[in-house]
Amino acid sequence: MNVSLAIHGGAGTMPRHLMTPEMEKNCHAALKKALDAGVAVLVQGGNAMDAVIAAVTELENHHLFNAGRGSVFNADGKHHMDASLMDGTSKLAGAVAGIEGVKNPVQLAREVMLHSPHVLLTGKGAEDFARERKVLFAGEEYFFTSRRYYQYLLAQKEDKILLDHARYQSPKGTVGAVARDASGGLAAATSTGGMTNKKYGRVGDTPIIGAGTWADNQTCAVSCTGHGEFFMRQVVAHDIHCLMLYKNYSLSEACEQVVNDKLKTTGGEGGLIAVDAKGNISMPFNSEGMYRGFYEKGNLSTGVYREMI
Ligand code: ASP
């Protein structure tokens, strides 16, 4: 059975000289747990959409990642989360932005896709819809971690809006998953707390279909992580689809061109994970590292910096 899954836990990694072996071990264990959750769905014959939701839910529940429970603080001291997903078979998509208190934003994005006539719901309206759909909420304390609070206080002091970075003691970032199921179906999902100390209702690429997330069975499924403004301006996920569809690029050629050429030359730091219709996986990044993992042809592997284990 030719099934593939790739996940990421963000491109804002801790510089190597600050990473302890213990911390690195924890990162690999957390990534492996999320991979296992998604792979379990695929090997039991489940579809790509259910697999990416299972993997992203696991990452959202982990306090170390900047999504769901571990989301960063915005300038008001709150957690405003964004998420999206796309099904490459039906080409349906769902997304939420600027939501508070929803335990698993990726699951709310699925509700939007399946039970509303819309693609993207924001803020209070999205939260009202979540209550109607009986999606789980969690209290403020669930989203509070002292590490994130410290990161937020430092960012406030310097009046900066930040990706997850080491000097702020935050080893991990946005999360995402892409999958190919046994019937050739592709799906992608991405979820984030955005950028620390973000203001004025800022929304990044994560909930924007085509920028942070894309899936089409003809070509690929893509989930991005990095400095969202660059990914939005370059419509990164959809750009990879276009290079494959209109220029016959392979998945890895398209990913390389976008991440290590187009994005890099404009200063857009980050990376992405992608899977094509045959189940090939590509995971390029132009940052120092990217928390990531994949399952392909029965092999499972995770990585933080250049090498995979
Ligand atoms: N892309 C996300 C954003 O700009 C951040 C990240 O990937 O860490 O909101």
Side-chain angles (χ1 to χ4, degrees):
M1 193 192 319
N2 189 11
V3 300
S4 302
L5 177 81
I7 59 165
H8 70 76
T13 51
M14 177 170 278
R16 187 146 225 167
H17 68 279
L18 295 173
M19 177 72 89
T20 67
E22 176 72 15
M23 281 155 65
E24 200 166 342
K25 205 173 125 207
N26 290 341
C27 296
H28 286 285
L31 290 166
K32 185 171 178 307
K33 202 167 169 222
L35 272 178
D36 287 344
V39 170
V41 173
L42 292 173
V43 298
Q44 284 162 29
N47 65 37
M49 179 51 74
D50 287 343
V52 295
I53 291 173
V56 169
T57 297
E58 193 66 46
L59 293 163
E60 284 180 340
N61 291 345
H62 203 299
H63 66 93
L64 290 174
F65 296 104
N66 174 19
R69 186 173 183 201
S71 291
V72 297
F73 285 86
N74 67 14
D76 304 335
K78 297 189 167 166
H79 306 278
H80 278 168
M81 301 171 286
D82 309 326
S84 68
L85 38 72
M86 185 161 178
D87 179 5
T89 306
S90 63
K91 314 261 178 69
L92 291 175
V96 289
I99 55 164
E100 271 184 72
V102 172
K103 186 167 176 275
N104 291 107
V106 74
Q107 294 184 11
L108 181 55
R110 173 176 49 190
E111 295 299 306
V112 174
M113 176 177 81
L114 295 179
H115 301 288
S116 87
H118 308 299
V119 170
L120 171 61
L121 298 182
T122 67
K124 191 180 167 300
E127 291 157 22
D128 290 345
F129 177 72
R131 281 184 205 94
E132 263 179 49
R133 294 299 312 161
K134 306 215 178 334
V135 165
L136 274 185
F137 277 75
E140 269 291 298
E141 66 296 342
Y142 176 78
F143 297 96
F144 183 92
T145 63
S146 43
R147 186 171 51 83
R148 292 289 186 215
Y149 193 60
Y150 173 71
Q151 180 183 14
Y152 158 68
L153 292 181
L154 281 175
Q156 280 231 315
K157 205 166 130 200
E158 295 184 10
D159 194 24
K160 288 203 167 126
I161 301 165
L162 299 154
L163 267 184
D164 272 347
H165 275 297
R167 50 194 274 267
Y168 292 91
Q169 297 300 308
S170 174
K172 301 171 192 67
T174 293
V175 307
V178 294
R180 181 210 190 263
D181 62 34
S183 336
L186 302 182
T190 316
S191 180
T192 190
M195 291 172 84
T196 299
N197 203 29
K198 63 184 192 264
K199 296 175 186 168
Y200 314 120
R202 180 266 184 190
V203 171
D205 60 314
T206 301
I208 308 300
I209 297 300
T213 302
W214 181 262
D216 183 330
N217 286 3
Q218 283 186 90
T219 55
C220 59
V222 182
S223 168
C224 300
T225 172
H227 196 144
E229 281 68 11
F230 291 84
F231 284 72
M232 289 160 90
R233 286 191 290 254
Q234 300 194 27
V235 204
V236 165
H238 187 255
D239 200 20
I240 289 170
H241 158 79
C242 289
L243 286 172
M244 294 178 72
L245 190 65
Y246 304 128
K247 292 189 92 179
N248 281 323
Y249 277 40
S250 69
L251 181 75
S252 65
E253 285 166 350
C255 289
E256 272 306 303
Q257 164 97 33
V258 172
V259 175
N260 283 315
D261 189 351
K262 283 179 87 173
L263 263 176
K264 198 171 172 180
T265 50
T266 54
E269 185 186 1
L272 56 85
I273 53 171
V275 63
D276 71 13
K278 291 192 186 118
N280 298 309
I281 284 171
S282 190
M283 302 190 293
F285 52 95
N286 62 38
S287 40
E288 182 169 0
M290 179 170 82
Y291 299 94
R292 64 202 186 282
F294 71 85
Y295 174 88
E296 190 185 3
K297 300 189 182 99
N299 297 314
L300 194 144
S301 184
T302 54
V304 175
Y305 300 102
R306 291 284 150 192
E307 70 283 0
M308 301 290 291
I309 63 166

